[in-house]
Amino acid sequence: PVDWARSTVEGRLGAAGLRLHSWWSFDAPELFDDPRELYVWRAWGFAEAEVPPYAEVAPLLEQIFRQYAGPDGLEIRHRRHIWKAVVS
C-alpha cells in the first residue's frame, strides 16, 4: 500500500527545498483500561457541544470493550514516523 504519510512529508520537504534522507515507521499501541478512558481520548480537543455526554455513549463503549478488549484493556494501534531531512 501507498504510505500517504511519507509521500506527504516528502512533498512538504520538497516545497521547502529539502529532501528526505531517511524514514522510520513503527507501531505504537495505546491501551485503555476502561470505556471512560476511551471516551476521554476520543472527546479530547472537541468543544463540549460537539461531543455526546458519556452516559449517552457508555453502552456502546462498554459493548466495544466486551467484544474487543484483552486482559490489559482495549488496544488501539497507531503508526508513528521519524524522519530526517537534508538540505539539497
Side-chain angles (χ1 to χ4, degrees):
V2 175
D3 188 342
W4 65 268
R6 183 179 177 140
S7 62
T8 300
V9 169
E10 286 177 319
R12 290 180 180 177
L13 289 171
L18 301 171
R19 70 176 178 83
L20 185 64
H21 174 272
S22 46
W23 178 271
W24 300 269
S25 182
F26 57 97
D27 186 50
E30 187 167 357
L31 288 169
F32 296 92
D33 292 335
D34 62 50
R36 185 172 285 281
E37 281 187 21
L38 180 62
Y39 171 80
V40 169
W41 175 68
R42 293 299 300 144
W44 186 86
F46 290 95
E48 188 176 337
E50 297 176 304
V51 179
Y54 178 73
E56 186 178 316
V57 296
L60 177 59
L61 296 175
E62 290 165 1
Q63 178 185 352
I64 290 169
F65 266 73
R66 281 192 303 275
Q67 282 185 281
Y68 300 106
D72 295 327
L74 183 69
E75 186 176 279
I76 305 292
R77 309 215 53 96
H78 303 280
R79 297 296 298 166
R80 297 290 186 236
H81 311 284
I82 300 174
W83 49 269
K84 181 170 105 176
V86 295
V87 178
S88 299

